[in-house]
Amino acid sequence: MRRLLVLTVLVAAAYSCGFPSFPPVLSSRVVGGEDATPHSWPWQVSLQSDRGGGWRHVCGGTLISTEWVLTAAHCINENYNYRVELGKHSLKASEDGSIARRAAKIISHQDYSILLSRNDIALIKLSPPIILTDTIKPACLPELGFVLPHGSQCFVTGWGRLSTNGPLADTLQQALLPVIGHEICSQQEWWSVLATDKMVCAGGDGTSSGCNGDSGGPLIYQNPDGSWNVHGVVSFGSGQGCNVFQKPTVFTQVSSYISWINTVIANLILATVKHNL
């Protein structure tokens, strides 16, 4: 029964995943990012909290199925309520096809360490489930344990700051970030012991900038068949700025948490079934 539920979750997550109806325009620009083609990253979501009396964008996230969003554990504060906006390009404008969903359940990794940013990953269950459209589609998950090779060309997306102390972007941004292998990123002059083998480093060459990638947002890599996998969740970067040599943006490596993702979702399904018996 448990195995069947896990397989059902995987099939649901994989259905039509990773293929945007409006393909992104991929350029080699890496400094500061650039405006994305509207709805070309249809799995990008805006995680919003109700602090301050209204809904406010706090983090990015990645849609991985009709009910689940992947984000960072450090984005979550138990003192606030959260919702997720999907199908957005501009956070300022009202857009046809965009929807908001209540965060019915938020599950942060049980071993998340705020001090060392270990296991910085969380799942959000949407209520009610969404219907996939041209502007709202899930990204694919990578295979368990898959590690992107050094130099892999990935993209980071989000509505984060366009510069170190600048305002949040009004429209969705994208930036090309090359992967920095763990052997390099964990060297003393780079991130040293802060970078573990359950993390992905990208950028940090002095020209690549990940400032536009919100916390919790995706690091995306295109497969040979044209589909896109979410390989990273934005976790932390340098306090010195967006474009610091040998201080790449660090992402939680999604492939290290496939078993955790499946277990969390399967356990919640089982709990729901038992409750309804």
Side-chain angles (χ1 to χ4, degrees):
M1 176 68 173
R2 188 185 187 94
R3 178 174 295 180
L4 177 61
L5 289 171
V6 171
L7 289 175
T8 301
V9 169
L10 288 175
V11 169
Y15 178 71
S16 72
C17 70
F19 286 101
S21 297
F22 309 99
V25 176
L26 307 177
S27 74
S28 59
R29 182 181 179 187
V30 292
V31 179
E34 61 189 349
D35 288 352
T37 300
H39 309 299
S40 57
W41 309 103
W43 39 80
Q44 174 77 50
V45 308
S46 168
L47 178 61
Q48 301 174 356
S49 75
D50 63 352
R51 59 184 173 184
W55 294 111
R56 176 176 175 268
H57 174 82
V58 293
C59 275
T62 308
L63 184 70
I64 59 171
S65 78
T66 57
E67 291 187 275
W68 292 93
V69 164
L70 199 60
T71 190
H74 79 261
C75 291
I76 306 303
N77 185 320
E78 61 182 15
N79 295 319
Y80 301 114
N81 296 312
Y82 291 91
R83 75 172 188 178
V84 172
E85 272 205 305
L86 308 100
K88 296 295 293 181
H89 177 64
S90 170
L91 290 181
K92 300 288 186 181
S94 176
E95 297 173 312
D96 291 339
S98 65
I99 58 173
R101 284 290 187 268
R102 180 173 63 92
K105 187 81 172 177
I106 301 177
I107 304 170
S108 296
H109 196 283
Q110 64 276 10
D111 295 324
Y112 167 57
S113 168
I114 190 172
L115 181 63
L116 297 174
S117 295
R118 301 287 198 264
N119 305 303
D120 190 9
I121 192 168
L123 281 166
I124 300 173
K125 188 177 189 297
L126 305 178
S127 181
I130 63 167
I131 296 174
L132 302 182
T133 68
D134 284 341
T135 59
I136 303 173
K137 293 185 177 184
C140 301
L141 294 174
E143 293 183 4
L144 174 66
F146 181 85
V147 177
L148 286 168
H150 176 80
S152 297
Q153 301 295 287
C154 295
F155 281 81
V156 61
T157 57
W159 291 277
R161 302 184 189 282
L162 299 174
S163 59
T164 304
N165 296 312
L168 294 176
D170 291 338
T171 58
L172 187 65
Q173 300 289 297
Q174 66 181 42
L176 173 66
L177 286 185
V179 168
I180 303 298
H182 177 68
E183 289 187 1
I184 295 174
C185 195
S186 59
Q187 291 178 5
Q188 184 66 37
E189 61 270 25
W190 289 68
W191 279 115
S192 188
V193 296
L194 289 179
T196 74
D197 58 5
K198 290 187 176 182
M199 299 174 181
V200 182
C201 301
D205 54 8
T207 60
S208 302
S209 172
C211 251
N212 65 307
D214 265 355
S215 288
L219 182 72
I220 296 288
Y221 177 77
Q222 190 170 32
N223 300 309
D225 68 355
S227 64
W228 292 85
N229 281 2
V230 53
H231 279 275
V233 175
V234 180
S235 182
F236 66 90
S238 174
Q240 302 173 40
C242 304
N243 186 24
V244 180
F245 182 59
Q246 296 182 337
K247 289 296 180 286
T249 303
V250 181
F251 303 78
T252 303
Q253 183 170 261
V254 176
S255 65
S256 296
Y257 295 89
I258 297 300
S259 295
W260 177 80
I261 291 170
N262 288 335
T263 299
V264 166
I265 296 175
N267 284 344
L268 191 58
I269 293 173
L270 285 172
T272 302
V273 170
K274 289 180 180 179
H275 178 75
N276 292 330
L277 289 177

